[in-house]
Amino acid sequence: MSADANTPNPQPGDLLRWFFGTYLRPQSKKLGAAFFFMVVEGAMLGLISYLIKPMFDDVLVAADTSRIAWTALAILGVFAIRALSGYANRVLMTMVRVRSAAHLQGDLLAHVLTLDGAFFHNYPPGVLLERTRGDCQSASDQWGTIMRSLVRDVIGLTSLLIVAATMDWQWTLLALVAVPFIAFPIRTLQRRVRRNSSAAREASSFVSNRLDEVYHGTTSIKLAGTEQRETDRFNKAINGYTREEIRSARGQSAIPSLIDFVAGVGFASVLYFGGLEIISGEKTVGEFMAFFTAVGMLIDPARRLGNVSAQWQIAMASMVRVHSVFNERPSIVSPPVPKQLDIPARDADVVLEAVAFSYTDAPVLRGTSFVAKAGQTTALVGASGAGKSTIFHLLARLADPQSGSITIGGTPTNQLDLKELRGLFSVVSQDALLFDESIRENVMMGADASDADLQTALKAAHVDAFLGNLEAGVDTNAGTRGSALSGGQRQRVAIARAVLRDRPILLLDEATSALDAQSEKIVQEALEDLSKSRTTLVIAHRLSTIRNADSIVVMDRGMVVDQGTHDELLARGGLYADLYRLQYSDGMTLTDRKIEIAVPDQRPQDTAQDAKDSGFLGAASRAFGSVMGLFGRRSD
């Protein structure tokens, strides 16, 4: 991306330099060849109209049969050259257009993946889909059309005007007499088209986002019986988009219509005055027909050139939207000179000291401090909104604390290279991210691992236990978001991915909370095997899954209120003992009981915090495992 792309409020010239310099210059040879063929195609229009004069005056009027064949062959040759050059420039421009669109979309995706969580809060998936596909494609398509018109049609228009002026310059002025009077209306229409096109692109983003929400929530919609509500909401969105598109189309259609009106005025003027000159013998029929043909052929390229202004506005609207995403910058980056861990990561304690963090005005962590010993399992428990998932975000620097420090082996995480830091973690979350590809690919995630390594990971995660029931085994497609597998199977695939990843620090974010008892037992066994010899941090609502943890950190309202083993915490009483008694007093699990009722004295001011945590933090927590699953690759 060029420097121009960083301009906060780019002018059209800035956008042109950026787009052409970055995405079209690499294809300059194809563009040059396409421009050559466009010039040839445009020039043939003038040659065709020029051949009309000898065809009438020297052949038809003069009745010279000897020249009929040559004239016919000449006209056929001109049409053949025009056809071949038109074919060549269209194919070449399509190649340039689709490749530049692909390049632009790839760059945009790569840039978006560098951005922080706050960006994705402001740009939901449907909006980003429209920016990446719709706007990038629209911009590239419009530029292709604009370039063809500016080269082929300008050459065609110029050659036709030369022929017309050669026949009679006064007739030519008559044909163009009304042109100055449409300059202001066209300028007004251009502004309207750009405004309406921008609104249409925004409305299209809203439609895409609405569809994304519906298609990802079909089960919830069916269970709630809200199909008609969602259909009505979509219809409202699509109707808004339709209105803006129609408004934009009105402006676009008006420009060529104005040009047609101007052409009509010119035709009528020439027909009247030229007809009088032919009748009086001042002009020949051939001259009139050649001129009339040239002026008639002027209409199509003039109409397309008139439409260029509308296409320019559409391209600008899409380009500005794409450019605005490129202007976004991550706030979390690697330090200029990253440090290395002083000790091996497997021997490094994870330490949080007086960590404070908030989203906007909602405090989440308030001076949180604890130590997760190397090679041991540390569990985090507490009510929803206590800040447990936020700690996982901060460890991997998906966000940075406002104060306090987080260190691994004594080295602050913000002094480590970002990729290397995230490469220290394996993550298994309650929402295992699986892609619409084979189980093999979902486990390997691009890792350079042998088949033996893969089989070891599948066995360790108990994935091999259900592969035999699948028709294609490990090559079975997991479906969109793992929809072809059960919840327990998805979790085991995610665990196999973590085994293959083989990182020194393991983060388990309620990895068994959504499973039935049988699946939970299998997954829990796999997680216990995975935790051996690793520094493990666990978020769990079911206290039965963390009874054997080396240390349990009890959190309340963003603060650590107690820490110790299961037996120590029960002996001391306090919040953990209350939660434990609540969970087992009547056989109900903590998930069934909804842990947040275990804090009856919750202050009113904390309600906003919990709402924030269940909203943005909840969404961020669900995305955490998905994002972290993409960081790093297994080393050889």
Side-chain angles (χ1 to χ4, degrees):
M1 187 169 57
S2 72
D4 288 328
N6 298 324
T7 306
N9 296 302
Q11 297 300 312
D14 298 325
L15 290 176
L16 279 174
R17 284 189 293 272
W18 167 61
F19 184 76
F20 279 78
T22 307
Y23 300 104
L24 296 182
R25 185 173 295 166
Q27 303 183 73
S28 56
K29 291 183 179 179
K30 290 185 181 65
L31 269 178
F35 286 172
F36 169 77
F37 288 115
M38 289 178 199
V39 170
V40 173
E41 182 185 6
M44 291 303 102
L45 283 178
L47 191 54
I48 289 170
S49 64
Y50 183 79
L51 289 173
I52 297 297
K53 180 180 181 300
M55 183 182 72
F56 273 87
D57 289 344
D58 300 338
V59 177
L60 299 179
V61 175
D64 187 352
T65 57
S66 63
R67 301 182 62 178
I68 290 179
W70 288 108
T71 304
L73 286 173
I75 292 176
L76 176 61
V78 171
F79 273 97
I81 293 172
R82 184 168 187 266
L84 291 173
S85 60
Y87 171 80
N89 78 65
R90 280 189 291 271
V91 170
L92 288 167
M93 285 304 298
T94 298
M95 294 171 66
V96 171
R97 177 176 53 78
V98 298
R99 287 176 179 171
S100 65
H103 187 183
L104 180 59
Q105 291 174 54
D107 281 357
L108 189 63
L109 175 61
H111 178 72
V112 165
L113 290 177
T114 68
L115 301 176
D116 307 329
F119 170 82
F120 296 98
H121 183 59
N122 296 324
Y123 288 81
V127 172
L128 288 176
L129 282 171
E130 188 63 27
R131 293 286 173 100
T132 307
R133 291 290 294 164
D135 286 317
C136 288
Q137 198 67 53
S138 173
S140 295
D141 289 349
Q142 296 300 334
W143 285 124
T145 304
I146 289 170
M147 283 188 289
R148 288 195 75 224
S149 289
L150 289 179
V151 178
R152 178 199 61 186
D153 293 331
V154 165
I155 294 297
L157 196 67
T158 302
S159 64
L160 289 169
L161 284 174
I162 290 173
V163 171
T166 302
M167 296 300 111
D168 193 302
W169 65 270
Q170 292 175 319
W171 289 356
T172 304
L173 290 177
L174 282 173
L176 303 176
V177 67
V179 169
F181 297 101
I182 64 171
F184 177 75
I186 286 180
R187 179 62 178 167
T188 302
L189 289 169
Q190 286 175 343
R191 288 194 293 267
R192 181 175 297 177
V193 167
R194 180 166 184 173
R195 183 173 61 252
N196 292 337
S197 295
S198 181
R201 299 311 307 165
E202 288 293 339
S204 180
S205 292
F206 188 68
V207 170
S208 296
N209 192 55
R210 181 68 69 208
L211 284 174
D212 178 76
E213 292 177 339
V214 169
Y215 288 147
H216 286 148
T218 51
T219 300
S220 299
I221 292 169
K222 288 179 180 296
L223 291 176
T226 58
E227 293 91 341
Q228 187 58 51
R229 172 181 178 268
E230 295 304 325
T231 301
D232 291 342
R233 293 176 72 201
F234 173 76
N235 286 335
K236 182 178 179 180
I238 198 69
N239 288 338
Y241 167 72
T242 302
R243 283 194 300 271
E244 298 300 338
E245 276 290 311
I246 291 173
R247 289 170 182 168
S248 179
R250 286 173 181 165
Q252 294 178 59
S253 301
I255 293 175
S257 296
L258 282 173
I259 293 172
D260 284 346
F261 177 75
V262 169
V265 172
F267 262 117
S269 301
V270 171
L271 183 60
Y272 178 77
F273 292 103
L276 292 176
E277 292 187 15
I278 292 173
I279 293 172
S280 65
E282 296 178 39
K283 296 287 185 182
T284 66
V285 173
E287 288 175 322
F288 182 81
M289 291 304 301
F291 178 86
F292 220 70
T293 301
V295 173
M297 287 184 171
L298 275 173
I299 295 175
D300 279 342
R303 185 186 292 118
R304 287 192 294 267
L305 284 171
N307 217 27
V308 161
S309 60
Q311 291 161 343
W312 167 269
Q313 302 305 327
I314 296 171
M316 283 291 104
S318 293
M319 192 60 64
V320 166
R321 286 163 51 81
V322 172
H323 192 272
S324 69
V325 178
F326 274 118
N327 275 337
E328 296 285 344
R329 289 291 177 267
S331 60
I332 299 174
V333 296
S334 297
V337 183
K339 289 187 176 181
Q340 299 291 325
L341 291 179
D342 295 328
I343 59 176
R346 290 185 184 275
D347 300 326
D349 293 342
V350 177
V351 180
L352 278 76
E353 186 173 350
V355 172
F357 180 81
S358 64
Y359 288 101
T360 61
D361 59 348
V364 180
L365 298 179
R366 301 174 174 129
T368 302
S369 299
F370 69 86
V371 177
K373 290 289 186 180
Q376 296 185 5
T377 296
T378 301
L380 306 178
V381 301
S384 296
K388 304 181 297 297
S389 295
T390 300
I391 289 174
F392 279 17
H393 284 72
L394 299 180
L395 285 174
R397 289 199 70 203
L398 294 179
D400 278 337
Q402 277 82 42
S403 62
S405 67
I406 302 174
T407 61
I408 298 177
T411 303
T413 55
N414 60 6
Q415 294 182 15
L416 296 171
D417 178 81
L418 198 57
K419 186 174 182 180
E420 291 185 7
L421 169 66
R422 291 170 178 170
L424 298 175
F425 301 101
S426 288
V427 179
V428 182
S429 68
Q430 60 180 324
D431 295 318
L433 172 67
L434 299 187
F435 295 95
D436 190 13
E437 52 190 12
S438 70
I439 293 174
R440 179 194 302 275
E441 292 299 324
N442 271 291
V443 172
M444 296 188 68
M445 288 285 289
D448 185 14
S450 67
D451 193 61
D453 291 332
L454 174 64
Q455 295 304 320
T456 298
L458 294 175
K459 185 176 181 180
H462 302 285
V463 174
D464 60 340
F466 67 83
L467 285 181
N469 300 325
L470 303 178
E471 184 176 350
V474 73
D475 292 312
T476 300
N477 193 281
T480 304
R481 299 196 173 192
S483 58
L485 303 177
S486 69
Q489 290 170 341
R490 288 195 296 270
Q491 289 298 81
R492 281 183 266 177
V493 171
I495 294 170
R497 181 189 295 165
V499 172
L500 193 67
R501 185 171 166 80
D502 191 23
R503 301 306 185 190
I505 303 175
L506 177 63
L507 305 179
L508 304 178
D509 188 359
E510 301 186 55
T512 63
S513 64
L515 303 180
D516 58 72
Q518 182 178 0
S519 297
E520 180 185 2
K521 183 176 183 298
I522 296 172
V523 171
Q524 189 63 36
E525 290 176 359
L527 289 174
E528 288 174 358
D529 290 338
L530 179 60
S531 299
K532 291 175 181 177
S533 73
R534 288 182 173 84
T535 304
T536 303
L537 287 92
V538 185
I539 294 175
H541 279 167
R542 294 176 183 172
L543 301 187
S544 60
T545 63
I546 49 96
R547 290 184 61 173
N548 296 324
D550 298 288
S551 178
I552 299 173
V553 176
V554 185
M555 299 188 65
D556 182 24
R557 302 186 183 99
M559 296 180 288
V560 174
V561 296
D562 209 347
Q563 183 172 2
T565 65
H566 172 75
D567 292 335
E568 291 171 347
L569 292 171
L570 283 184
R572 282 202 293 267
L575 181 59
Y576 182 81
D578 292 341
L579 297 176
Y580 186 80
R581 283 193 297 270
L582 174 65
Q583 181 170 356
Y584 290 104
S585 61
D586 57 3
M588 293 181 68
T589 67
L590 202 57
T591 301
D592 296 330
R593 181 70 79 162
K594 295 296 181 186
I595 187 171
E596 48 266 39
I597 68 173
V599 190
D601 61 337
Q602 185 175 25
R603 294 187 298 270
Q605 61 266 33
D606 291 318
T607 304
Q609 172 195 334
D610 290 341
K612 185 74 175 180
D613 201 39
S614 62
F616 176 70
L617 273 179
S621 177
R622 291 191 293 275
F624 177 74
S626 302
V627 175
M628 285 300 299
L630 303 177
F631 288 128
R633 292 292 182 262
R634 185 177 181 274
S635 302
D636 292 333

